[in-house]
Amino acid sequence: MIRLLLVGLLSGCGTVPAADYGRALMSDRTVSSAASNPFSCTTCHPTTENSTALKPGYTIVGAASRSAYWGGFENTLLGAINQCVVQFMRGRALPPTDEKARALYVYLQSLSPTVGPLLPLTVVSDIVDLSSGDPAAGQTFYTDACAGCHGAPHTGQGRLSSLIPIIPDESVAAHGSSAQTGARPITIEKVRHGKFFSAGGTMPLFALERLSDAQLGSILGYLEQFGLPK
């Protein structure tokens, strides 16, 4: 129903073709109504079909034709978009008639020529410590998965917003070094739970399909060089 409504209502957004407007919105933080929002769709979603980027979301290519989203918990494309807009961007949900919603739909539809499968989303519910991995590999994984939002470790240089914590420094300052409640388990929890499971904040979670335990362990090994407790 939502798809039919969007197609029926939209052939363009003003003088800009809908697909072009939708493409621009993918990297525009004003897709959210929240003025303080630092995120765009491409902060978390790769834009190429076979991307190996370590981002929490799947590629946008084929998104409009998937049978469901969020591991099967969301059944419509607009619902999936609004999960991000509301949960992470702290904005108001986009109604089907909204110009931005319609433009995003048309653009994503242009990238979805065939019906795609439901993509897995394995959420780690129980947080346990992980073995620290190779710091050199961890630097690569951190740069790919974390630096886009948090910036460089210890300094935060290049971080997306001053509202996003510098790691591991701010985690250590806030939580200390306890093996049960300190900065290390909190870091693992934030990666695996994001804002969910009462963790708070606006960070998206990394499912196992998007970041493996081995990759996360290497990131921990890298952050130990900057003061993350072992």
Side-chain angles (χ1 to χ4, degrees):
M1 180 65 183
I2 288 176
R3 292 186 178 189
L4 292 175
L5 179 59
L6 290 174
V7 171
L9 288 172
L10 183 64
S11 59
C13 297
T15 60
V16 180
D20 291 345
Y21 182 39
R23 182 186 299 109
L25 282 174
M26 292 299 298
S27 56
D28 188 344
R29 66 180 183 84
T30 64
V31 70
S32 166
S33 58
S36 61
N37 166 54
F39 304 122
S40 70
C41 302
T42 55
T43 302
C44 295
H45 293 277
T47 57
T48 56
E49 184 173 6
N50 297 311
S51 172
T52 58
L54 297 178
K55 294 191 174 188
Y58 281 107
T59 177
I60 62 172
V61 178
S65 297
R66 290 173 193 149
S67 58
Y69 308 89
W70 286 85
F73 289 99
E74 185 58 64
N75 294 319
T76 69
L77 178 61
L78 182 58
I81 290 171
N82 278 329
Q83 283 282 351
C84 296
V85 170
V86 174
Q87 297 287 354
F88 310 125
M89 299 179 180
R90 293 182 171 176
R92 295 184 297 272
L94 302 174
T97 54
D98 185 271
E99 185 178 66
K100 293 177 180 178
R102 293 180 284 162
L104 287 170
Y105 175 83
V106 171
Y107 173 58
L108 291 172
Q109 187 65 39
S110 74
L111 303 178
S112 308
T114 59
V115 176
L118 170 65
L119 298 177
L121 189 77
T122 305
V123 177
V124 178
S125 57
D126 297 324
I127 300 302
V128 297
D129 193 20
L130 299 173
S131 299
S132 299
D134 175 31
Q139 180 177 7
T140 298
F141 298 146
Y142 178 91
T143 299
D144 200 10
C146 312
C149 288
H150 291 278
H154 185 56
T155 67
Q157 183 176 357
R159 62 178 166 161
L160 196 59
S161 165
S162 61
L163 299 175
I164 296 175
I166 298 171
I167 52 178
D169 300 54
E170 292 188 29
S171 295
V172 173
H175 303 288
S177 58
S178 166
Q180 289 74 43
T181 60
R184 185 183 184 91
I186 288 294
T187 298
I188 297 171
E189 180 182 27
K190 288 300 292 184
V191 171
R192 289 305 184 208
H193 289 173
K195 66 161 289 177
F196 303 104
F197 295 86
S198 301
T202 58
M203 181 173 169
L205 61 82
F206 278 85
L208 286 173
E209 291 82 7
R210 306 306 299 156
L211 187 74
S212 70
D213 277 345
Q215 290 170 323
L216 177 52
S218 292
I219 291 173
L220 295 174
Y222 173 58
L223 291 177
E224 287 170 4
Q225 299 178 327
F226 299 93
L228 183 74
K230 297 183 179 181

